């Protein structure tokens, strides 16, 4: 290669690097990305390889969190300075992070970041289990949101996994060193097995992948949103591909959420256009699954937002339990439970609350936990979690509710049995009903407002009276504020309340449709046929019924009948629909006094002769106030009716004396005419009253029939939905039981094959020394058949010359000290008989285990050797 060509390539590479750095520098308008790197003390080589491949002017800041011996002098800063041209600092308290620099955690410290400044803390534990990587990465996720980047290099344990979850939730980037290239692969493997790694590569390749990602991710680079209106069809194609592959419809999810997640995946694959990503999805089905996981945002922790869980345990649950003095079952539903941490947290909190209040009667807790992600549900069913959950679960709870294993913790049996897991789509499947507690945290924020307005009444329908609704810290019930009253608004705990008005119709998941469907033209409604009676009733109500308003016990107007403008008017300023604020001058003071009086006396009150100002004049009226007792839904409300009173006609004054005097005969005729007209008017009035009574009676009958039909229809709808909910519940329980049965079947097969492969005959006895199970080969010692299960072993014939076996077995069960003897049989065989206590997983003695190892060959050989020894001894004695 010529020198000119070499220089040309170098210049080209330099131009590419400058262009890349210029792209990244545009992010200066936003906070620059910060890379948090986790490694253990043995990961120095990986750290050096990583930093050696970071450009000096990358525009990124790097914070290194390493497991360091608290007693050793810090040398990591000097060692890493030799591997990079960037300035390397040991972190100090409140040190402001700057781009193109490397910051190293000092020994014996925990470190966090807030508004771009590092903060140092004394470790909570002097030695032993420390989680400094999780501690920092969590704070980094909160501080830099989608501009946070987490990197896990060589290291032991699982530190960093929970921190990467937090970064993933905020749409940050997660990179992990390829375990095959790591000196210690535990930390990388933990992150990968948790499904958190966006990119996996050797340490020296990770910096280049970060630069490439930031170059192609427009959202991180601060450019305009990629998905414009012209790309809407491409976005819909992505939703269609997801639905075809997974069966889940994401058209009801917020478009911005879908857009951000798609752009993240595009940045990882370095795709510039969404149309390119659609083609990539079509040719790579595994990417559809990855995007599906990305959209589910399956991030959760034990006791997330601890203050809210503490309030649930100490106040909300005890108040709920006090209203259930007869005990029984408590039913709960955890919606979007992910990998189960939230459902198990609820079970633990409920168990603690029951333990503290010690109710007089027993409560049985049943929690249904559902999620879209089958993999997350499978993990939740296993109930195993890494050791770093100690950051969220107290030592006392770990001791009481978990079983510690070599590399993590497993949920204890009593908590596991409270929870039933199943895959379910809350926006498509029937809900669980008759619930005492409903937990739905950080799901509503990803759904469109229209769908939120449908789900909240559905949650209200699912809960019992005074049931508890537990939402995430960024969610609220403002779309259905009349259905829930806050227990603590800040901590998002609410209690179901009965509405004083008829409950609005509940849309069940079967009726949930995509918002796009709402844009379609609504079908023309067929106008109901009118009849004379209904038209007459409507006319009478409009023109002859007095104006009235229905108010609650605070005076808030709930319903208006007729025209009330002469008596009420909106008050100036902020809208206020209270009767006392809207009553016109002249009636407001008397109305207020009468209102409080009618609430106390529960008897109707009529105010007569009130005058209210109208346009240029006044109107005399009577006002009647009456409390309502029936129907029950309106009990406690007040009906206020306004009656206009006609003004008496003014009397005409007579003229001065000497005026014209009316003729007596003419007066008599007029008086007769007036009497006749009065009689006709009286007859007409009676006929009208009779007709009005008939119309009123007919109208009441029609209203009653209509109400009965509506009630029947509502009952049928409710029954249908309850049946669907019950069916969903049965399917969920069946799926859980089927999963357990499959697991038990596999376990039984494994145990049977294991026991048979050892060629050691085993008999299991219960505490009464009755046969519970036996392996193949037991029939050669005892005359056992499958029907002998449940019989005492002493009743079964045996070939063993061991009359003390029953006594030895009882002694082992009593003293828990194992027994081992060599026993012969009638046919000359020998067995090593070992009797041991049978211990359950909860360390409870459940009987004994007797094993029979065939030692006939060993005994035969022993006898032969003994005979040979005897022969040699005799020969030696004869020789003497």
């Amino acid at each position: 290669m010529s020198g000119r060509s070499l220089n040309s390539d170098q210049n080209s590479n330099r131009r590419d690097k400058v262009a890349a750095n210029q792209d990244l520098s545009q992010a200066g308008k936003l906070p620059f990305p910060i890379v948090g790197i986790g490694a253990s003390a043995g990961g120095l080589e990986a750290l050096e390889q990583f930093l050696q491949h970071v450009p000096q002017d990358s525009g990124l800041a790097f914070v290194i969190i390493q497991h360091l011996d608290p007693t050793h002098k810090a040398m990591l800063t000097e060692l890493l300075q030799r591997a990079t041209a960037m300035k390397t600092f040991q972190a100090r308290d409140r040190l402001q992070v700057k781009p193109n620099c490397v910051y190293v955690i000092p020994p014996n410290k925990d470190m966090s970041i807030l508004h771009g400044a590092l903060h140092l803390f004394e470790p909570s534990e002097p030695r032993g289990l420390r989680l400094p990587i999780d501690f920092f990465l969590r704070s980094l996720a909160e501080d830099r949101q989608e501009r946070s980047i987490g990197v896990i290099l060589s290291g032991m344990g699982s530190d960093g996994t929970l921190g990467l979850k937090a970064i993933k939730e905020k749409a940050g980037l997660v990179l992990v060193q390829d375990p095959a290239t790591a000196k210690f692969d535990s930390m990388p493997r933990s992150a990968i097995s948790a499904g958190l790694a966006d990119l996996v590569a050797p340490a020296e390749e990770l910096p280049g992948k970060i630069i490439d990602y930031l170059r192609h991710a427009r959202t991180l680079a601060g450019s305009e949103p990629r998905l414009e209106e012209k790309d809407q069809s491409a976005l819909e194609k992505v939703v269609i591909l997801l639905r075809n592959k997974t069966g889940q419809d994401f058209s009801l999810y917020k478009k911005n959420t879908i857009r951000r997640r798609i752009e993240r995946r595009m940045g990882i694959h370095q795709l510039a256009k969404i149309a390119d990503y659609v083609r990539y999805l079509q040719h790579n089905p595994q990417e559809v699954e990855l995007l599906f996981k990305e959209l589910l945002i399956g991030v959760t922790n034990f006791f997330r937002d601890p203050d809210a869980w503490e309030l649930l345990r100490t106040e909300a649950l005890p108040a709920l339990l006090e209203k259930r003095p007869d005990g029984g079952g408590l039913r709960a539903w955890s919606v979007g439970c992910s990998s189960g941490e939230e459902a198990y947290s609820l079970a633990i909190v409920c168990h603690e609350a029951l333990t503290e209040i010690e109710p007089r009667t027993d409560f049985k807790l049943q929690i249904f936990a559902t999620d879209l992600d089958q993999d997350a549900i499978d993990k939740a069913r296993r109930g195993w979690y890494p050791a770093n959950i100690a950051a969220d679960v107290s030592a006392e709870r770990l001791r009481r509710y978990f079983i510690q294993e070599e590399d993590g913790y497993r949920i204890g049996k009593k908590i596991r049995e409270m929870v039933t897991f199943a895959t379910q789509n809350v926006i498509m499947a029937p809900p669980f009903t008759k619930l005492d507690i409903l937990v739905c945290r950080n799901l509503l924020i990803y759904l469109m407002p229209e769908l939120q307005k449908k789900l909240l009444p559905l949650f209200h329908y699912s809960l019992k009276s005074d049931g508890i609704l537990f939402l995430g810290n960024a969610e609220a019930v403002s779309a259905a504020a009349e259905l829930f009253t806050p227990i603590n608004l800040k901590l998002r705990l609410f209690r179901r309340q009965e509405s004083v008005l008829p409950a609005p119709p509940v849309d069940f998941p079967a009726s949930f449709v995509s918002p796009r469907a709402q844009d379609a033209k609504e079908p023309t409604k067929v106008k109901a046929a009118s009849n004379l009676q209904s038209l007459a009733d409507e006319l009478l109500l409009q023109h002859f019924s007095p104006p009235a308003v229905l108010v609650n016990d605070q005076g808030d107007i709930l319903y208006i009948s007729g025209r009330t403008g002469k008596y009420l008017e909106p008050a100036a300023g902020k809208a206020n629909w209270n009767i006392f604020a809207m009553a016109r001058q002249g009636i407001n003071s008397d109305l207020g006094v009468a209102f409080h009086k009618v609430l106390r006396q529960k008897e109707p009150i009529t105010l007569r002769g009130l005058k209210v100002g109208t346009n240029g004049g006044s109107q005399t009226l009577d006002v009647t106030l009456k409390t309502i007792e029936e129907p029950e839904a309106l009990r406690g409300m007040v009906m206020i009716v306004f009656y206009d009173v006609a003004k008496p006609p003014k009397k005409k004054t007579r003229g001065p004396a000497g005026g014209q005097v009316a003729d007596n005969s003419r007066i008599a005729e007029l008086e007769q005419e007036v009497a006749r007209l009065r009689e006709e008017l009286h007859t007409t009035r009676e006929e009208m009253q009779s007709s009005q009574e008939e119309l009123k009676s007919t109208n009441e009958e029609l209203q009653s029939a209509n109400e009965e039909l509506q009630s029947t229809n509502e009952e049928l709808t409710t029954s249908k939905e309850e049946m669907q909910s019950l069916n969903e519940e049965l399917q969920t329980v069946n799926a859980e039981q089927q999963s357990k049965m499959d697991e038990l079947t596999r376990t039984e097969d494994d145990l049977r094959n294991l026991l048979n492969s050892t060629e050691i005959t085993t008999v299991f006895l219960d505490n009464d020394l009755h046969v519970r199970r036996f392996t193949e080969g037991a029939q050669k010692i005892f005359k056992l058949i499958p029907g002998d299960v449940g019989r005492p072993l002493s009743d079964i014939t045996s070939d063993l010359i061991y009359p003390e076996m029953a006594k030895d077995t009882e002694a082992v069960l009593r003293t828990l000290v194992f027994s081992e003897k060599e026993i012969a049989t009638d046919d000359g065989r020998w067995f090593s008989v070992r009797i041991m206590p049978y211990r359950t997983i909860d360390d409870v003695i459940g009987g004994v285990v007797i094993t029979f190892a065939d030692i006939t060959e060993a005994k035969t050989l022993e006898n032969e050797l003994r005979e040979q020894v005897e022969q040699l001894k005799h020969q030696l004695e004869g020789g003497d």
Side-chain angles (χ1 to χ4, degrees):
M1 181 179 293
S2 66
R4 179 184 297 273
S5 177
L6 178 61
N7 292 334
S8 176
D9 290 342
Q10 290 176 342
N11 291 334
S12 177
N13 291 336
R14 189 177 297 110
R15 285 195 300 272
D16 290 343
K17 181 181 290 187
V18 170
N21 291 336
Q22 286 176 349
D23 288 341
L24 294 176
S25 66
Q26 292 177 1
K29 300 175 183 178
L30 297 172
F32 54 87
I34 296 178
V35 183
I37 307 174
S40 69
L44 176 60
E45 181 181 354
L47 285 170
E48 290 177 338
Q49 291 173 349
F50 181 94
L51 293 177
Q52 285 172 357
H53 291 80
V54 177
Q56 183 179 357
D57 52 353
S58 65
L60 306 174
F62 299 87
V63 182
I64 296 175
I65 313 297
Q66 193 180 30
H67 295 156
L68 300 173
D69 190 321
T71 63
H72 285 189
K73 181 181 178 181
M75 297 292 294
L76 185 60
T77 305
E78 292 78 5
L79 294 173
L80 293 180
Q81 185 65 78
R82 298 180 302 184
T84 178
M86 294 183 290
K87 293 183 179 180
T88 305
F89 304 93
Q90 180 170 292
R92 304 188 309 274
D93 198 31
R94 304 188 69 181
L95 177 63
Q96 195 71 30
V97 175
K98 297 180 180 179
N100 304 317
C101 294
V102 180
Y103 301 88
V104 180
I105 187 173
N108 202 29
K109 294 290 183 182
D110 283 339
M111 187 163 66
S112 178
I113 186 169
L114 178 65
H115 304 315
L118 300 175
H119 296 265
L120 301 180
F121 297 87
E122 294 297 327
S124 56
E125 297 291 338
R127 278 191 178 274
L129 180 61
R130 289 186 181 179
L131 304 169
I133 302 175
D134 281 330
F135 189 78
F136 178 78
L137 292 183
R138 283 183 172 185
S139 67
L140 177 62
E142 292 295 331
D143 197 61
R144 278 301 191 265
Q145 301 285 316
E146 71 274 9
R147 303 179 71 76
S148 57
I149 302 173
V151 178
I152 293 296
L153 301 178
S154 173
M156 297 294 292
S158 59
D159 192 12
T161 301
L162 295 181
L164 294 182
K165 281 186 177 182
I167 290 178
K168 193 84 168 181
E169 183 184 24
K170 301 300 182 182
L173 180 66
V174 172
L175 302 97
V176 178
Q177 181 180 0
D178 186 349
T181 67
K183 184 177 181 180
F184 304 101
D185 62 358
S186 297
M187 280 170 47
R189 288 191 184 280
S190 176
I192 294 172
S193 63
L196 301 173
D198 292 316
L199 294 166
V200 179
E204 63 270 17
E205 296 181 13
L206 295 179
K209 294 188 177 295
I210 295 175
I211 300 298
D212 291 339
Y213 171 80
L214 295 178
R215 186 186 306 161
H216 287 83
R218 299 287 182 88
T219 53
L220 296 183
S223 61
E224 293 299 321
R226 190 189 307 275
L227 301 182
E228 301 174 357
E229 290 185 6
K230 62 182 180 180
D231 295 318
Q232 186 64 32
S233 61
L235 177 62
E236 292 173 355
K237 290 177 182 177
V238 173
V239 173
I240 292 171
L241 290 173
L242 282 167
R243 185 179 61 192
N244 293 341
K245 177 70 175 177
T246 66
Q248 307 300 336
D249 186 3
F250 285 91
S251 61
L252 297 173
Y253 281 60
K254 288 182 179 177
K255 293 297 184 290
N256 286 339
T257 299
I258 298 177
R259 176 176 60 80
R260 286 197 303 270
R261 299 290 166 170
I262 289 176
E263 288 182 345
R264 239 181 57 83
R265 299 301 305 173
M266 291 169 63
I268 291 171
H269 297 296
Q270 301 180 30
L271 297 173
K273 298 180 180 178
I274 188 173
D276 298 335
Y277 186 65
V278 171
R279 287 192 291 271
Y280 187 83
L281 285 173
Q282 291 175 308
H283 293 91
N284 297 274
Q286 69 276 11
E287 176 64 20
V288 181
E289 290 289 344
L290 291 173
L291 179 61
F292 175 65
K293 302 283 187 185
E294 186 90 9
L295 290 171
L296 294 183
I297 319 174
V299 179
T300 184
N301 297 317
F302 281 99
F303 304 104
R304 194 176 193 183
D305 303 320
D307 292 343
W309 287 101
E310 184 65 14
L311 181 69
L312 179 66
R313 183 183 69 86
T314 58
E315 295 186 22
L317 279 173
L320 179 66
L321 295 173
E322 285 179 3
K323 297 179 180 179
R324 311 275 198 276
D326 298 330
L330 284 178
R331 290 164 56 88
W333 181 17
S334 176
V335 185
C337 67
S338 188
S339 50
E341 290 92 330
E342 193 170 83
Y344 290 132
S345 298
L346 178 61
I348 290 172
V349 164
C350 290
H351 185 270
E352 289 176 340
L354 286 169
T355 303
E356 289 179 5
I357 66 174
E358 297 181 353
R360 293 176 306 218
T361 54
D362 292 335
F363 281 91
K364 181 181 178 182
L365 178 64
Q366 184 178 25
I367 299 175
F368 299 99
T370 61
D371 196 272
L372 268 177
D373 190 350
Q374 181 63 53
D375 292 339
I377 289 295
D378 291 340
K379 181 178 178 182
R381 282 176 176 156
R382 289 193 294 271
W384 181 91
Y385 299 95
N388 54 4
I389 64 169
D392 300 311
V393 185
S394 67
E396 174 63 19
R397 282 173 170 163
L398 286 174
R399 184 187 63 80
R400 292 183 62 189
Y401 301 110
F402 292 81
I403 300 171
Q404 186 170 7
E405 298 182 351
E406 182 179 357
D407 52 353
Y409 293 93
R410 189 174 299 278
I411 288 288
K413 182 180 178 182
K414 63 183 177 183
I415 295 297
R416 176 63 185 89
E417 290 179 344
M418 295 179 184
V419 188
T420 300
F421 291 99
T423 53
Q424 186 208 46
N425 188 341
V426 68
I427 65 177
M428 296 179 67
F432 296 93
T433 55
K434 300 178 181 178
L435 302 170
D436 298 286
I437 307 167
L438 196 154
V439 180
C440 181
R441 311 198 70 215
N442 303 313
L443 171 64
L444 298 180
I445 55 176
Y446 300 112
L447 304 178
M448 299 186 69
E450 294 82 358
L451 186 56
Q452 295 182 26
K453 292 178 181 178
K454 293 182 178 181
L455 279 177
L456 288 171
L458 186 69
F459 291 166
H460 182 269
Y461 169 82
S462 299
L463 285 166
K464 292 180 182 177
S465 178
D466 296 322
I468 298 171
L469 176 64
F470 190 8
L471 299 180
N473 57 11
E475 298 168 329
V477 296
S478 53
E482 72 280 1
L483 302 179
F484 299 94
T485 181
I487 300 173
N488 188 302
L489 186 60
K490 180 181 178 182
L491 298 180
R492 298 300 189 264
L493 272 171
F494 302 89
R495 181 174 286 112
R496 182 190 191 272
Q497 69 174 358
E498 297 293 340
S499 176
V500 294
L501 294 177
V506 178
D507 289 332
F508 289 89
S511 66
F512 291 178
V513 295
S514 171
R516 290 181 59 226
Q518 298 176 0
D519 297 336
K521 185 176 180 180
E522 294 184 359
T524 304
K525 295 182 180 179
V526 179
K527 187 175 181 180
S530 302
N531 56 44
L532 179 62
Q533 182 174 337
S534 63
L535 292 174
D537 290 343
E538 182 179 353
L539 182 65
L540 287 171
L541 290 172
Q542 287 181 353
H543 297 284
F544 296 97
S545 296
V549 294
L550 179 68
V551 301
N552 61 16
D553 57 359
Q554 301 297 319
D556 297 323
I557 297 175
L558 304 176
Y559 180 77
I560 298 176
S561 174
R563 297 185 177 183
T564 59
K566 289 191 295 183
Y567 325 108
L568 307 175
E569 65 175 348
K574 185 179 180 180
N576 187 351
W577 287 84
N578 189 279
I579 188 70
F580 307 119
M582 296 183 65
R584 289 182 179 269
Q585 187 176 2
I587 65 174
N588 50 3
S589 58
D590 294 330
L591 185 63
V593 174
F595 182 83
H596 295 292
K597 186 176 180 181
V598 77
L599 287 176
R600 291 194 306 270
Q601 297 179 353
K602 304 297 183 182
E603 295 291 336
I605 296 177
T606 300
L607 304 174
R608 300 187 182 278
L610 300 180
K611 289 187 178 182
V612 61
T614 59
N615 296 332
S618 63
Q619 171 67 52
T620 304
L621 71 153
D622 296 341
V623 180
T624 299
L625 298 90
K626 183 179 185 303
T627 57
I628 299 176
E629 298 297 329
E630 297 291 339
E632 185 176 355
L634 300 181
R635 182 175 296 172
M637 298 184 186
V638 178
M639 182 69 75
I640 303 176
V641 186
F642 303 93
Y643 301 94
D644 286 350
V645 178
K647 295 181 180 179
K650 295 181 179 180
K651 296 181 179 180
K652 293 183 179 180
T653 57
R654 287 185 174 273
Q660 184 179 1
V661 180
D663 184 77
N664 291 336
S665 61
R666 179 60 179 164
I667 292 174
E669 291 178 1
L670 290 176
E671 288 178 348
Q672 292 176 357
E673 183 69 16
V674 168
R676 184 181 63 79
L677 290 175
R678 284 179 176 174
E679 184 67 24
E680 291 180 358
L681 179 61
H682 180 71
T683 303
T684 304
R685 183 176 295 173
E686 288 181 347
E687 291 177 353
M688 288 189 65
Q689 288 179 347
S690 177
S691 299
Q692 186 174 0
E693 290 295 331
E694 291 178 0
L695 288 173
K696 183 177 180 182
S697 175
T698 304
N699 183 44
E700 289 177 351
E701 291 177 359
L702 290 174
Q703 288 181 347
S704 176
N706 183 45
E707 289 176 357
E708 289 179 0
L709 290 173
Q710 287 181 346
S711 176
T712 303
N713 183 49
E714 290 174 357
E715 289 176 0
L716 290 173
T717 302
T718 302
S719 299
K720 175 186 174 184
E721 297 300 335
E722 287 180 351
M723 292 297 294
Q724 289 180 342
S725 298
L726 180 60
N727 183 51
E728 180 71 18
E729 184 175 327
L730 290 174
Q731 289 179 353
T732 300
V733 174
N734 181 56
E736 176 78 3
Q737 295 300 324
Q738 186 63 45
S739 173
K740 289 182 178 180
M741 288 181 64
D742 292 343
E743 185 178 349
L744 288 173
T745 301
R746 288 192 300 270
T747 303
E748 185 174 358
D749 291 341
D750 293 342
L751 288 175
R752 185 176 64 253
N753 283 279
L754 173 63
L755 292 172
N756 292 337
S757 66
T758 61
E759 297 183 355
I760 298 176
T761 301
T762 307
V763 178
F764 298 89
L765 305 181
D766 59 20
N767 285 319
D768 297 324
L769 304 185
H770 293 178
V771 177
R772 186 164 58 192
R773 182 193 294 268
F774 55 87
T775 64
E776 293 181 7
Q779 300 91 337
K780 298 177 182 179
I781 303 174
F782 300 91
K783 306 304 181 184
L784 280 169
I785 60 174
D788 289 329
V789 173
R791 292 181 58 192
L793 184 63
S794 59
D795 291 354
I796 299 172
T797 305
S798 168
D799 294 337
L800 296 171
I801 307 174
Y802 190 8
E804 303 86 6
M805 186 171 67
K807 187 181 297 183
D808 290 348
T809 304
E810 291 175 353
V812 169
L813 192 60
R814 184 178 64 257
T815 63
L816 304 183
V817 178
F818 76 88
S819 168
E820 185 170 9
K821 294 182 179 180
E822 295 180 352
I823 305 297
T825 63
D826 296 333
D827 55 2
R829 292 175 295 158
W830 283 86
F831 290 91
S832 175
V833 181
R834 187 180 180 90
I835 308 174
M836 297 185 64
Y838 180 98
R839 294 181 182 273
T840 67
I841 193 172
D842 298 322
D843 200 24
V844 176
I845 302 302
V848 295
V849 182
I850 308 177
T851 59
F852 304 86
D854 192 339
I855 58 173
T856 303
E857 293 183 4
K859 274 293 184 180
T860 302
L861 181 59
E862 181 183 343
N863 291 334
E864 291 176 355
L865 291 174
R866 184 177 290 111
E867 290 177 0
Q868 291 177 8
V869 170
E870 291 294 333
Q871 290 175 2
L872 289 173
K873 187 183 295 185
H874 286 303
Q875 290 175 3
L876 291 173
E877 289 176 354
D880 292 339

